[in-house]
């Protein structure tokens, strides 16, 4: 499978929403528990600052197979960005996340960030493995972190120094 990495276009929002909602609907270990309307994801993109990066992964047929974004976050210091990564069910483990991160980390360096934070549910084994493979290290673990439905899953906050 050939993968192309490119910047987000507003026409990608519908496919990004479908990909994310598929993960949510199968009970994936994302922090999002309820399907998102397309307008909500579009509002996240629209709120973006000049220091936000939205990157798309497509296969050789043009099908969206993953996306990643990183941006400033109110709970982090100004030198840190927060990152999120989503890869289509069934194509995980094919280097898509690695290729997305290579592009995103270049953007974050160019934007002047010193480090990137990934906050991952403690029960998200694949997410924890992915960020560890990218070189992220735990800097804070919250064993009592709770989801919006009241379940306690814990959360690992991982740091990647640029």
């Amino acid at each position: 499978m050939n993968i192309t990495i490119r910047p987000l276009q507003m026409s990608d929002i519908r496919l990004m929403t479908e990909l994310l909602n598929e993960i949510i609907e199968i009970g994936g270990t994302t922090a999002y528990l309820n399907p998102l309307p397309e307008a909500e994801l579009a509002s996240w993109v629209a709120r973006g600052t000049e220091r936000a990066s939205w990157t798309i992964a497509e296969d050789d047929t043009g099908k969206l197979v993953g996306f990643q974004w990183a941006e400033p976050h109110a709970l982090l210091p100004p030198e840190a960005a927060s990152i999120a990564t989503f890869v289509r069910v069934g194509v995980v483990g094919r280097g898509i996340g690695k290729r997305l991160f290579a592009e995103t980390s270049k953007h974050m360096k160019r934007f002047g960030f010193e480090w990137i934070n990934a906050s991952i549910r403690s029960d998200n084994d694949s997410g924890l493995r992915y960020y560890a493979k990218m070189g992220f290290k735990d800097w804070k673990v919250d064993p009592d972190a709770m989801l919006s439905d009241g379940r306690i899953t814990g959360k690992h906050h991982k740091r990647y120094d640029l």
Side-chain angles (χ1 to χ4, degrees), residues 3 21-22 25 40 53 59 64 97 106 119 123 132 134 136 146-148:
I3 300 297
N21 284 340
E22 179 182 357
E25 287 169 10
E40 186 166 352
S53 172
D59 69 11
L64 191 142
K106 284 191 287 189
S119 294
D123 61 346
M134 296 306 103
F136 283 73
M146 186 183 305
L147 298 175
S148 61

Side-chain angles (χ1 to χ4, degrees), residues 54-125:
W54 289 80
T55 308
I56 302 296
E58 291 179 329
D59 69 11
D60 44 12
T61 69
K63 182 177 183 178
L64 191 142
V65 293
F67 66 96
Q68 184 172 74
W69 82 85
E71 62 187 353
H73 192 284
L75 297 177
L76 293 171
E79 67 273 10
S82 180
I83 192 169
T85 307
F86 301 96
V87 174
R88 185 171 299 283
V89 175
V91 296
V92 174
R94 298 187 186 179
I96 296 166
K98 181 178 181 178
R99 304 254 331 263
L100 286 166
F101 185 66
E103 192 66 20
T104 299
S105 61
K106 284 191 287 189
H107 294 167
M108 296 296 99
K109 282 181 193 176
R110 193 171 343 125
F111 296 153
F113 289 103
E114 296 174 15
W115 59 285
I116 301 172
N117 174 74
S119 294
I120 307 115
R121 283 174 45 171
S122 296
D123 61 346
N124 182 349
D125 292 332

Side-chain angles (χ1 to χ4, degrees), residues 5-49:
I5 305 298
R6 63 169 178 78
L8 166 125
Q9 299 168 3
M10 290 308 286
S11 60
D12 295 319
I13 299 292
R14 181 181 58 78
L15 297 173
M16 293 166 59
T17 304
E18 289 173 4
L19 186 152
L20 179 54
N21 284 340
E22 179 182 357
I23 294 168
I24 293 168
E25 287 169 10
I26 65 167
T29 50
T30 175
Y32 306 107
L33 301 181
N34 299 305
L36 300 172
E38 191 175 319
E40 186 166 352
L41 189 56
S43 74
W44 297 351
V45 173
R47 77 168 179 230
T49 69

